[in-house]
Amino acid sequence: MKKEWPLWEIFIRGQHGLSHRHVGSLHAPDAETAILNARDVYTRRNEGVSIWVVKAADITATAPGDKGPIFEPSETKVYRHPTFYDIPDEIGHM
Amino acid sequence: MYAQMVKSTGQGVKSRDEMSAEERDFQDKVDADIRIEPRDWMPEGYKKTLIRQIGQHAHSEIVGQLPEGNWITRAPTLERKMILLAKVQDEAGHGLYLYCAAETLGVTRDEMTEMLLSGKMKYSSIFNYPTLTWADIGAVGWLVDGAAIMNQVPLQRTSYGPYARAMVRICKEESFHQRQGYDIMMRMARGSEAQKRMAQDALNRFWYPSLMMFGPSDANSVHSEQSMAWKIKINTNDELRQKFVDQTVPQAEYLGLSVPDENLKWNEEKGGYDFSEPDWDEFFDVLRGAGPGNTQRLTDRQKAWEDGAWVREGLMAHAEKKAARKVAAE
Amino acid sequence: MEAKFEALLRLGDNALILGHRVSEWCGHAPVLEEDIALANTALDLLGQTNLWLEYAGEVEGKGRSADDLAFLRDAWDFRNVLLVELPNGDFGQTILRQFLFDAFNLLNLRALTGSSDPRIAEIAEKAAKEAAYHVDRSSGTVIGLGDGTDESHRRMQDALNLLYPYAMELFITDEVDAEMAKAGVIPSPDTLKAEYDALVNGVIAEATLEKPEAHFGHRGAGKTGKMHTEHLGHLLTQMQWLQRAYPGNAW
């Protein structure tokens, strides 16, 4: 009979033009209530213009052990960054 | 502080040679100020100590709603009523953020709540003291929140990511709490004779309990040594207590109130005040639950939890019915 | 101006007394998320109180502030409906009372945004947004608990049986209402009833509850100040304690 309300992860768009950002979590029986709870818990100081809620159990994440194969290969691809290229000062901003 | 006397493994800090390879990697990360995240490997003792500490901190926020909530219905003006309500509401929010941080370690909020209600987990001794007059609401904001902030600001850099992030949010929100308390004290210290007496009386009663919030000296505690190595405790209790006294005494002077300590004296050499230790026997009694305060607080929390069971169950049952109907319709 | 003062007191006192009642929950709600939400509702209502009573004091012209009106009047001078002064009861009773009031408050405030008095229209504009959220929240909870477990259903039906007749006081229309409605200052309460019924009936049905007999036997007792319940005096005793015990002190 006793059943804890599921946990929801809360994402809030702080200002128009920005992405939603994870701000924390809370409990709610369903998604609709999670939105209302998020409004009451996480926007008390005028912090948001839009809210996403995602059931914590529905999130799929990378495992910490995969860090090497997943993220390290990009470390050596230095040519993807503008600082890789030397442009003479005379050319000005590029 | 809000988490007083949290026990760690009790083993003392392991030397690098005694550590396993995993433990060494872990400690290296902590030393390099790289945050530990929920799915990272961590020593069992680290996890257990964190659950105790964050849990105790969260419980303190929730129980801490009660002594201040005691005056919401008696606040003297509409503005004071709104300020106090918003503040006590913040405490509920802070408890919520902290429970969520602890939940990332594999313990649920309901489990932690049950442990609070059965007395298995503690909350800060300070909340067992009664708020008798309106000036106590000023003193709690000024002294209790002031002491809490001392501890919470450094915890924003604590090694466990979810805890550190909760503390960042909490510190940001707390910044008005101490100020509103001092604002009440200023008004009273400049008010009628009765108000001045009330303000002094509140300082008299809350001074030593506030000093106790930092916990007894832990210069030689193995628990504290381990917690500091793990960066879930940043300063010693004595450091923080000294800082608190040094900061608070001039504030009391500004109010024209006297700190109830005849040994209080500026010490030029150490660049801080000398002051009397609180009565640590009292501290241990109160922490263990002696006195009417503890019984009243726990009874209130138990009642809220039991009276609310049908609401939590009812809303969950409705959510399940709704979900089932949706599936049936598809 | 007497009627306008009276009408403003009714608005302010409803918000004040209900805000006070809801604030009693702080620290005692069934779950943290609900504790925080109830505090938000109370804060909105107390904010509305401040605006209505401040204006009431100005209209009266005797130099009384919102605080003077809140803390220095006795029970017979209060103009709130009986519904809002009733004790909280269990959470179901609290949230059902909230919904019955929120629904009225929203419709009333929306109508007030068109008031011939620009100050009233301005306050209503702000308050109506808050009330719209309150209706969302309280109606959802009423539905959830009505259509929840057997126990929650039973408790909600009990609450509805107790409170629904009290809600009818909100629509009693007296000479103050008539005079103010004629001047375009406020809507006549009876004109809000049809929309109220539609809103409330829908929620009651979705909550699988049965609407009880709607007979309010007290004849406008609260809003006219003719007769309050005994509960109001105790509420004021607590709320006004400091102002009464230390007259003239600043806090």
PDB file of all heavy atoms in Angstrom, chain A residues 44-45, chain B residues 65 68 72 78-94 173-174 176-177 180, chain C residues 23 26 36 39-40 42-43 46:
ATOM      1  N   ARG A  44      10.478  30.284  -6.973  1.00  0.00           N
ATOM      2  CA  ARG A  44       9.964  31.218  -5.970  1.00  0.00           C
ATOM      3  C   ARG A  44      10.579  32.611  -6.114  1.00  0.00           C
ATOM      4  O   ARG A  44      10.057  33.577  -5.604  1.00  0.00           O
ATOM      5  CB  ARG A  44      10.240  30.706  -4.553  1.00  0.00           C
ATOM      6  CG  ARG A  44       9.588  29.386  -4.243  1.00  0.00           C
ATOM      7  CD  ARG A  44       9.399  29.173  -2.752  1.00  0.00           C
ATOM      8  NE  ARG A  44      10.625  29.221  -1.994  1.00  0.00           N
ATOM      9  CZ  ARG A  44      11.565  28.272  -2.012  1.00  0.00           C
ATOM     10  NH1 ARG A  44      11.397  27.209  -2.779  1.00  0.00           N
ATOM     11  NH2 ARG A  44      12.654  28.380  -1.294  1.00  0.00           N
ATOM     12  N   ARG A  45      11.741  32.668  -6.746  1.00  0.00           N
ATOM     13  CA  ARG A  45      12.396  33.969  -6.888  1.00  0.00           C
ATOM     14  C   ARG A  45      12.487  34.378  -8.351  1.00  0.00           C
ATOM     15  O   ARG A  45      13.504  34.845  -8.812  1.00  0.00           O
ATOM     16  CB  ARG A  45      13.780  33.919  -6.238  1.00  0.00           C
ATOM     17  CG  ARG A  45      13.702  33.960  -4.724  1.00  0.00           C
ATOM     18  CD  ARG A  45      15.040  33.668  -4.092  1.00  0.00           C
ATOM     19  NE  ARG A  45      15.022  33.857  -2.653  1.00  0.00           N
ATOM     20  CZ  ARG A  45      14.536  32.971  -1.788  1.00  0.00           C
ATOM     21  NH1 ARG A  45      14.010  31.844  -2.223  1.00  0.00           N
ATOM     22  NH2 ARG A  45      14.585  33.204  -0.495  1.00  0.00           N
TER      23      ARG A  45
ATOM     24  N   GLN B  65      11.655  24.433  10.831  1.00  0.00           N
ATOM     25  CA  GLN B  65      10.464  25.201  10.467  1.00  0.00           C
ATOM     26  C   GLN B  65       9.580  25.467  11.696  1.00  0.00           C
ATOM     27  O   GLN B  65       8.844  26.439  11.730  1.00  0.00           O
ATOM     28  CB  GLN B  65       9.601  24.408   9.470  1.00  0.00           C
ATOM     29  CG  GLN B  65      10.135  24.329   8.058  1.00  0.00           C
ATOM     30  CD  GLN B  65       9.101  23.649   7.162  1.00  0.00           C
ATOM     31  OE1 GLN B  65       9.054  22.437   7.051  1.00  0.00           O
ATOM     32  NE2 GLN B  65       8.241  24.438   6.542  1.00  0.00           N
ATOM     33  N   GLU B  68      10.179  28.628  14.346  1.00  0.00           N
ATOM     34  CA  GLU B  68       9.841  29.903  13.707  1.00  0.00           C
ATOM     35  C   GLU B  68       8.391  29.922  13.253  1.00  0.00           C
ATOM     36  O   GLU B  68       7.705  30.943  13.350  1.00  0.00           O
ATOM     37  CB  GLU B  68      10.783  30.173  12.538  1.00  0.00           C
ATOM     38  CG  GLU B  68      12.180  30.509  13.017  1.00  0.00           C
ATOM     39  CD  GLU B  68      13.087  30.851  11.859  1.00  0.00           C
ATOM     40  OE1 GLU B  68      13.564  29.914  11.188  1.00  0.00           O
ATOM     41  OE2 GLU B  68      13.312  32.042  11.633  1.00  0.00           O
ATOM     42  N   ILE B  72       4.313  32.493  13.033  1.00  0.00           N
ATOM     43  CA  ILE B  72       3.715  33.000  11.788  1.00  0.00           C
ATOM     44  C   ILE B  72       2.325  33.570  12.060  1.00  0.00           C
ATOM     45  O   ILE B  72       1.972  34.642  11.574  1.00  0.00           O
ATOM     46  CB  ILE B  72       3.643  31.881  10.721  1.00  0.00           C
ATOM     47  CG1 ILE B  72       5.050  31.527  10.235  1.00  0.00           C
ATOM     48  CG2 ILE B  72       2.772  32.309   9.537  1.00  0.00           C
ATOM     49  CD1 ILE B  72       5.112  30.316   9.323  1.00  0.00           C
ATOM     50  N   LEU B  78       1.460  42.801   8.752  1.00  0.00           N
ATOM     51  CA  LEU B  78       1.271  41.986   7.551  1.00  0.00           C
ATOM     52  C   LEU B  78       2.608  41.715   6.878  1.00  0.00           C
ATOM     53  O   LEU B  78       2.889  40.604   6.417  1.00  0.00           O
ATOM     54  CB  LEU B  78       0.332  42.698   6.573  1.00  0.00           C
ATOM     55  CG  LEU B  78      -1.135  42.773   7.010  1.00  0.00           C
ATOM     56  CD1 LEU B  78      -1.917  43.697   6.069  1.00  0.00           C
ATOM     57  CD2 LEU B  78      -1.765  41.394   7.036  1.00  0.00           C
ATOM     58  N   GLU B  79       3.465  42.741   6.862  1.00  0.00           N
ATOM     59  CA  GLU B  79       4.762  42.554   6.201  1.00  0.00           C
ATOM     60  C   GLU B  79       5.620  41.530   6.952  1.00  0.00           C
ATOM     61  O   GLU B  79       6.217  40.639   6.338  1.00  0.00           O
ATOM     62  CB  GLU B  79       5.501  43.891   6.096  1.00  0.00           C
ATOM     63  CG  GLU B  79       6.744  43.777   5.253  1.00  0.00           C
ATOM     64  CD  GLU B  79       7.478  45.105   5.146  1.00  0.00           C
ATOM     65  OE1 GLU B  79       8.070  45.556   6.147  1.00  0.00           O
ATOM     66  OE2 GLU B  79       7.426  45.696   4.062  1.00  0.00           O
ATOM     67  N   ARG B  80       5.677  41.635   8.267  1.00  0.00           N
ATOM     68  CA  ARG B  80       6.458  40.671   9.056  1.00  0.00           C
ATOM     69  C   ARG B  80       5.917  39.252   8.868  1.00  0.00           C
ATOM     70  O   ARG B  80       6.662  38.288   8.849  1.00  0.00           O
ATOM     71  CB  ARG B  80       6.425  41.034  10.544  1.00  0.00           C
ATOM     72  CG  ARG B  80       7.208  42.277  10.904  1.00  0.00           C
ATOM     73  CD  ARG B  80       8.705  42.044  10.864  1.00  0.00           C
ATOM     74  NE  ARG B  80       9.427  43.253  11.255  1.00  0.00           N
ATOM     75  CZ  ARG B  80      10.657  43.534  10.844  1.00  0.00           C
ATOM     76  NH1 ARG B  80      11.306  42.709  10.036  1.00  0.00           N
ATOM     77  NH2 ARG B  80      11.253  44.631  11.230  1.00  0.00           N
ATOM     78  N   LYS B  81       4.615  39.160   8.765  1.00  0.00           N
ATOM     79  CA  LYS B  81       3.991  37.842   8.577  1.00  0.00           C
ATOM     80  C   LYS B  81       4.445  37.242   7.247  1.00  0.00           C
ATOM     81  O   LYS B  81       4.812  36.073   7.164  1.00  0.00           O
ATOM     82  CB  LYS B  81       2.473  38.045   8.580  1.00  0.00           C
ATOM     83  CG  LYS B  81       1.617  36.833   8.851  1.00  0.00           C
ATOM     84  CD  LYS B  81       0.158  37.286   8.713  1.00  0.00           C
ATOM     85  CE  LYS B  81      -0.830  36.281   9.211  1.00  0.00           C
ATOM     86  NZ  LYS B  81      -0.761  36.103  10.663  1.00  0.00           N
ATOM     87  N   MET B  82       4.442  38.061   6.205  1.00  0.00           N
ATOM     88  CA  MET B  82       4.843  37.560   4.887  1.00  0.00           C
ATOM     89  C   MET B  82       6.328  37.201   4.874  1.00  0.00           C
ATOM     90  O   MET B  82       6.723  36.173   4.322  1.00  0.00           O
ATOM     91  CB  MET B  82       4.518  38.595   3.805  1.00  0.00           C
ATOM     92  CG  MET B  82       3.025  38.710   3.557  1.00  0.00           C
ATOM     93  SD  MET B  82       2.614  39.723   2.113  1.00  0.00           S
ATOM     94  CE  MET B  82       2.602  41.351   2.821  1.00  0.00           C
ATOM     95  N   ILE B  83       7.139  38.052   5.484  1.00  0.00           N
ATOM     96  CA  ILE B  83       8.579  37.782   5.510  1.00  0.00           C
ATOM     97  C   ILE B  83       8.850  36.461   6.233  1.00  0.00           C
ATOM     98  O   ILE B  83       9.585  35.604   5.747  1.00  0.00           O
ATOM     99  CB  ILE B  83       9.343  38.934   6.216  1.00  0.00           C
ATOM    100  CG1 ILE B  83       9.269  40.217   5.387  1.00  0.00           C
ATOM    101  CG2 ILE B  83      10.795  38.537   6.469  1.00  0.00           C
ATOM    102  CD1 ILE B  83       9.816  41.451   6.099  1.00  0.00           C
ATOM    103  N   LEU B  84       8.227  36.299   7.393  1.00  0.00           N
ATOM    104  CA  LEU B  84       8.481  35.096   8.182  1.00  0.00           C
ATOM    105  C   LEU B  84       7.974  33.852   7.451  1.00  0.00           C
ATOM    106  O   LEU B  84       8.658  32.824   7.399  1.00  0.00           O
ATOM    107  CB  LEU B  84       7.819  35.219   9.564  1.00  0.00           C
ATOM    108  CG  LEU B  84       8.069  34.052  10.521  1.00  0.00           C
ATOM    109  CD1 LEU B  84       9.556  33.845  10.782  1.00  0.00           C
ATOM    110  CD2 LEU B  84       7.337  34.280  11.854  1.00  0.00           C
ATOM    111  N   LEU B  85       6.807  33.970   6.850  1.00  0.00           N
ATOM    112  CA  LEU B  85       6.267  32.827   6.112  1.00  0.00           C
ATOM    113  C   LEU B  85       7.187  32.460   4.946  1.00  0.00           C
ATOM    114  O   LEU B  85       7.476  31.279   4.711  1.00  0.00           O
ATOM    115  CB  LEU B  85       4.851  33.164   5.617  1.00  0.00           C
ATOM    116  CG  LEU B  85       4.093  32.090   4.831  1.00  0.00           C
ATOM    117  CD1 LEU B  85       4.032  30.772   5.586  1.00  0.00           C
ATOM    118  CD2 LEU B  85       2.667  32.574   4.535  1.00  0.00           C
ATOM    119  N   ALA B  86       7.664  33.473   4.240  1.00  0.00           N
ATOM    120  CA  ALA B  86       8.568  33.201   3.109  1.00  0.00           C
ATOM    121  C   ALA B  86       9.858  32.564   3.597  1.00  0.00           C
ATOM    122  O   ALA B  86      10.434  31.696   2.942  1.00  0.00           O
ATOM    123  CB  ALA B  86       8.867  34.497   2.356  1.00  0.00           C
ATOM    124  N   LYS B  87      10.304  32.976   4.764  1.00  0.00           N
ATOM    125  CA  LYS B  87      11.543  32.425   5.306  1.00  0.00           C
ATOM    126  C   LYS B  87      11.355  30.963   5.723  1.00  0.00           C
ATOM    127  O   LYS B  87      12.158  30.102   5.376  1.00  0.00           O
ATOM    128  CB  LYS B  87      12.005  33.251   6.515  1.00  0.00           C
ATOM    129  CG  LYS B  87      13.285  32.691   7.082  1.00  0.00           C
ATOM    130  CD  LYS B  87      13.676  33.270   8.407  1.00  0.00           C
ATOM    131  CE  LYS B  87      15.043  32.745   8.792  1.00  0.00           C
ATOM    132  NZ  LYS B  87      15.044  31.583   9.628  1.00  0.00           N
ATOM    133  N   VAL B  88      10.293  30.699   6.449  1.00  0.00           N
ATOM    134  CA  VAL B  88      10.064  29.325   6.906  1.00  0.00           C
ATOM    135  C   VAL B  88       9.788  28.424   5.700  1.00  0.00           C
ATOM    136  O   VAL B  88      10.179  27.259   5.668  1.00  0.00           O
ATOM    137  CB  VAL B  88       8.932  29.268   7.948  1.00  0.00           C
ATOM    138  CG1 VAL B  88       8.739  27.847   8.445  1.00  0.00           C
ATOM    139  CG2 VAL B  88       9.250  30.181   9.125  1.00  0.00           C
ATOM    140  N   GLN B  89       9.140  28.975   4.692  1.00  0.00           N
ATOM    141  CA  GLN B  89       8.936  28.231   3.450  1.00  0.00           C
ATOM    142  C   GLN B  89      10.281  27.876   2.824  1.00  0.00           C
ATOM    143  O   GLN B  89      10.471  26.765   2.323  1.00  0.00           O
ATOM    144  CB  GLN B  89       8.110  29.076   2.479  1.00  0.00           C
ATOM    145  CG  GLN B  89       7.860  28.399   1.143  1.00  0.00           C
ATOM    146  CD  GLN B  89       7.386  29.375   0.085  1.00  0.00           C
ATOM    147  OE1 GLN B  89       7.927  30.484  -0.035  1.00  0.00           O
ATOM    148  NE2 GLN B  89       6.379  28.994  -0.663  1.00  0.00           N
ATOM    149  N   ASP B  90      11.209  28.810   2.846  1.00  0.00           N
ATOM    150  CA  ASP B  90      12.551  28.527   2.330  1.00  0.00           C
ATOM    151  C   ASP B  90      13.179  27.331   3.053  1.00  0.00           C
ATOM    152  O   ASP B  90      13.844  26.502   2.440  1.00  0.00           O
ATOM    153  CB  ASP B  90      13.477  29.736   2.516  1.00  0.00           C
ATOM    154  CG  ASP B  90      13.396  30.722   1.355  1.00  0.00           C
ATOM    155  OD1 ASP B  90      12.748  30.411   0.346  1.00  0.00           O
ATOM    156  OD2 ASP B  90      13.994  31.808   1.479  1.00  0.00           O
ATOM    157  N   GLU B  91      12.966  27.250   4.370  1.00  0.00           N
ATOM    158  CA  GLU B  91      13.547  26.125   5.121  1.00  0.00           C
ATOM    159  C   GLU B  91      12.991  24.809   4.585  1.00  0.00           C
ATOM    160  O   GLU B  91      13.735  23.823   4.444  1.00  0.00           O
ATOM    161  CB  GLU B  91      13.250  26.214   6.632  1.00  0.00           C
ATOM    162  CG  GLU B  91      13.415  27.579   7.289  1.00  0.00           C
ATOM    163  CD  GLU B  91      14.841  28.081   7.360  1.00  0.00           C
ATOM    164  OE1 GLU B  91      15.734  27.365   6.888  1.00  0.00           O
ATOM    165  OE2 GLU B  91      15.062  29.197   7.871  1.00  0.00           O
ATOM    166  N   ALA B  92      11.703  24.791   4.288  1.00  0.00           N
ATOM    167  CA  ALA B  92      11.116  23.583   3.701  1.00  0.00           C
ATOM    168  C   ALA B  92      11.800  23.277   2.373  1.00  0.00           C
ATOM    169  O   ALA B  92      12.142  22.129   2.079  1.00  0.00           O
ATOM    170  CB  ALA B  92       9.614  23.756   3.498  1.00  0.00           C
ATOM    171  N   GLY B  93      12.017  24.318   1.586  1.00  0.00           N
ATOM    172  CA  GLY B  93      12.704  24.137   0.303  1.00  0.00           C
ATOM    173  C   GLY B  93      14.104  23.593   0.505  1.00  0.00           C
ATOM    174  O   GLY B  93      14.533  22.681  -0.202  1.00  0.00           O
ATOM    175  N   HIS B  94      14.805  24.121   1.491  1.00  0.00           N
ATOM    176  CA  HIS B  94      16.178  23.671   1.725  1.00  0.00           C
ATOM    177  C   HIS B  94      16.207  22.217   2.174  1.00  0.00           C
ATOM    178  O   HIS B  94      17.053  21.438   1.742  1.00  0.00           O
ATOM    179  CB  HIS B  94      16.867  24.579   2.745  1.00  0.00           C
ATOM    180  CG  HIS B  94      16.936  25.996   2.274  1.00  0.00           C
ATOM    181  ND1 HIS B  94      17.303  27.043   3.069  1.00  0.00           N
ATOM    182  CD2 HIS B  94      16.650  26.537   1.057  1.00  0.00           C
ATOM    183  CE1 HIS B  94      17.239  28.169   2.365  1.00  0.00           C
ATOM    184  NE2 HIS B  94      16.839  27.872   1.149  1.00  0.00           N
ATOM    185  N   GLU B 173      19.632  31.572  -1.340  1.00  0.00           N
ATOM    186  CA  GLU B 173      18.319  31.897  -0.792  1.00  0.00           C
ATOM    187  C   GLU B 173      18.410  32.390   0.655  1.00  0.00           C
ATOM    188  O   GLU B 173      17.605  33.199   1.089  1.00  0.00           O
ATOM    189  CB  GLU B 173      17.403  30.666  -0.881  1.00  0.00           C
ATOM    190  CG  GLU B 173      17.131  30.266  -2.318  1.00  0.00           C
ATOM    191  CD  GLU B 173      16.109  29.151  -2.447  1.00  0.00           C
ATOM    192  OE1 GLU B 173      15.673  28.586  -1.425  1.00  0.00           O
ATOM    193  OE2 GLU B 173      15.754  28.844  -3.594  1.00  0.00           O
ATOM    194  N   GLU B 174      19.400  31.863   1.373  1.00  0.00           N
ATOM    195  CA  GLU B 174      19.519  32.200   2.791  1.00  0.00           C
ATOM    196  C   GLU B 174      19.956  33.628   3.031  1.00  0.00           C
ATOM    197  O   GLU B 174      19.874  34.097   4.164  1.00  0.00           O
ATOM    198  CB  GLU B 174      20.554  31.282   3.469  1.00  0.00           C
ATOM    199  CG  GLU B 174      20.082  29.877   3.696  1.00  0.00           C
ATOM    200  CD  GLU B 174      19.875  29.582   5.172  1.00  0.00           C
ATOM    201  OE1 GLU B 174      20.510  30.226   6.008  1.00  0.00           O
ATOM    202  OE2 GLU B 174      19.055  28.708   5.456  1.00  0.00           O
ATOM    203  N   PHE B 176      18.851  36.401   2.691  1.00  0.00           N
ATOM    204  CA  PHE B 176      17.971  37.380   3.342  1.00  0.00           C
ATOM    205  C   PHE B 176      17.601  36.966   4.769  1.00  0.00           C
ATOM    206  O   PHE B 176      17.143  37.790   5.557  1.00  0.00           O
ATOM    207  CB  PHE B 176      16.736  37.663   2.485  1.00  0.00           C
ATOM    208  CG  PHE B 176      15.499  36.859   2.773  1.00  0.00           C
ATOM    209  CD1 PHE B 176      14.614  37.247   3.774  1.00  0.00           C
ATOM    210  CD2 PHE B 176      15.198  35.722   2.042  1.00  0.00           C
ATOM    211  CE1 PHE B 176      13.461  36.510   4.027  1.00  0.00           C
ATOM    212  CE2 PHE B 176      14.049  34.986   2.296  1.00  0.00           C
ATOM    213  CZ  PHE B 176      13.180  35.382   3.290  1.00  0.00           C
ATOM    214  N   HIS B 177      17.831  35.714   5.118  1.00  0.00           N
ATOM    215  CA  HIS B 177      17.338  35.217   6.403  1.00  0.00           C
ATOM    216  C   HIS B 177      17.976  35.916   7.599  1.00  0.00           C
ATOM    217  O   HIS B 177      17.302  36.350   8.522  1.00  0.00           O
ATOM    218  CB  HIS B 177      17.561  33.701   6.511  1.00  0.00           C
ATOM    219  CG  HIS B 177      16.717  32.922   5.549  1.00  0.00           C
ATOM    220  ND1 HIS B 177      16.670  31.554   5.531  1.00  0.00           N
ATOM    221  CD2 HIS B 177      15.882  33.320   4.561  1.00  0.00           C
ATOM    222  CE1 HIS B 177      15.843  31.152   4.587  1.00  0.00           C
ATOM    223  NE2 HIS B 177      15.367  32.208   3.972  1.00  0.00           N
ATOM    224  N   GLN B 180      16.882  39.639   7.788  1.00  0.00           N
ATOM    225  CA  GLN B 180      15.551  39.925   8.326  1.00  0.00           C
ATOM    226  C   GLN B 180      15.553  39.770   9.841  1.00  0.00           C
ATOM    227  O   GLN B 180      14.874  40.513  10.549  1.00  0.00           O
ATOM    228  CB  GLN B 180      14.452  39.105   7.636  1.00  0.00           C
ATOM    229  CG  GLN B 180      14.476  37.584   7.869  1.00  0.00           C
ATOM    230  CD  GLN B 180      13.779  37.149   9.138  1.00  0.00           C
ATOM    231  OE1 GLN B 180      12.811  37.759   9.549  1.00  0.00           O
ATOM    232  NE2 GLN B 180      14.299  36.103   9.770  1.00  0.00           N
TER     233      GLN B 180
ATOM    234  N   SER C  23      -1.672  29.782   6.283  1.00  0.00           N
ATOM    235  CA  SER C  23      -0.320  29.895   6.845  1.00  0.00           C
ATOM    236  C   SER C  23      -0.146  29.000   8.071  1.00  0.00           C
ATOM    237  O   SER C  23       0.967  28.654   8.451  1.00  0.00           O
ATOM    238  CB  SER C  23       0.000  31.350   7.205  1.00  0.00           C
ATOM    239  OG  SER C  23      -0.571  31.719   8.449  1.00  0.00           O
ATOM    240  N   CYS C  26       2.017  25.834   7.629  1.00  0.00           N
ATOM    241  CA  CYS C  26       3.456  25.857   7.362  1.00  0.00           C
ATOM    242  C   CYS C  26       4.212  24.974   8.360  1.00  0.00           C
ATOM    243  O   CYS C  26       4.142  25.169   9.571  1.00  0.00           O
ATOM    244  CB  CYS C  26       3.962  27.301   7.447  1.00  0.00           C
ATOM    245  SG  CYS C  26       5.663  27.457   6.956  1.00  0.00           S
ATOM    246  N   ILE C  36       5.338  23.777   0.726  1.00  0.00           N
ATOM    247  CA  ILE C  36       5.856  24.942   0.005  1.00  0.00           C
ATOM    248  C   ILE C  36       4.750  25.587  -0.829  1.00  0.00           C
ATOM    249  O   ILE C  36       4.614  26.814  -0.875  1.00  0.00           O
ATOM    250  CB  ILE C  36       7.052  24.509  -0.867  1.00  0.00           C
ATOM    251  CG1 ILE C  36       8.200  24.063   0.050  1.00  0.00           C
ATOM    252  CG2 ILE C  36       7.493  25.623  -1.799  1.00  0.00           C
ATOM    253  CD1 ILE C  36       9.320  23.318  -0.667  1.00  0.00           C
ATOM    254  N   ALA C  39       2.323  27.554   1.330  1.00  0.00           N
ATOM    255  CA  ALA C  39       2.916  28.820   1.753  1.00  0.00           C
ATOM    256  C   ALA C  39       2.838  29.842   0.621  1.00  0.00           C
ATOM    257  O   ALA C  39       2.572  31.030   0.858  1.00  0.00           O
ATOM    258  CB  ALA C  39       4.359  28.615   2.204  1.00  0.00           C
ATOM    259  N   ASN C  40       3.040  29.397  -0.613  1.00  0.00           N
ATOM    260  CA  ASN C  40       2.917  30.324  -1.743  1.00  0.00           C
ATOM    261  C   ASN C  40       1.504  30.886  -1.839  1.00  0.00           C
ATOM    262  O   ASN C  40       1.313  32.080  -2.073  1.00  0.00           O
ATOM    263  CB  ASN C  40       3.274  29.622  -3.058  1.00  0.00           C
ATOM    264  CG  ASN C  40       4.771  29.676  -3.339  1.00  0.00           C
ATOM    265  OD1 ASN C  40       5.490  30.491  -2.752  1.00  0.00           O
ATOM    266  ND2 ASN C  40       5.244  28.828  -4.221  1.00  0.00           N
ATOM    267  N   ALA C  42      -0.663  31.184   0.593  1.00  0.00           N
ATOM    268  CA  ALA C  42      -0.871  32.109   1.715  1.00  0.00           C
ATOM    269  C   ALA C  42      -0.181  33.442   1.442  1.00  0.00           C
ATOM    270  O   ALA C  42      -0.740  34.510   1.718  1.00  0.00           O
ATOM    271  CB  ALA C  42      -0.348  31.487   3.006  1.00  0.00           C
ATOM    272  N   LEU C  43       1.019  33.380   0.879  1.00  0.00           N
ATOM    273  CA  LEU C  43       1.745  34.624   0.598  1.00  0.00           C
ATOM    274  C   LEU C  43       1.004  35.472  -0.435  1.00  0.00           C
ATOM    275  O   LEU C  43       0.931  36.698  -0.304  1.00  0.00           O
ATOM    276  CB  LEU C  43       3.166  34.310   0.119  1.00  0.00           C
ATOM    277  CG  LEU C  43       4.129  33.880   1.227  1.00  0.00           C
ATOM    278  CD1 LEU C  43       5.420  33.327   0.632  1.00  0.00           C
ATOM    279  CD2 LEU C  43       4.438  35.044   2.163  1.00  0.00           C
ATOM    280  N   LEU C  46      -1.957  37.051   1.365  1.00  0.00           N
ATOM    281  CA  LEU C  46      -1.566  38.131   2.278  1.00  0.00           C
ATOM    282  C   LEU C  46      -1.120  39.362   1.491  1.00  0.00           C
ATOM    283  O   LEU C  46      -1.351  40.499   1.913  1.00  0.00           O
ATOM    284  CB  LEU C  46      -0.463  37.654   3.227  1.00  0.00           C
ATOM    285  CG  LEU C  46      -0.923  36.572   4.232  1.00  0.00           C
ATOM    286  CD1 LEU C  46       0.268  35.960   4.967  1.00  0.00           C
ATOM    287  CD2 LEU C  46      -1.922  37.155   5.230  1.00  0.00           C
TER     288      LEU C  46
END
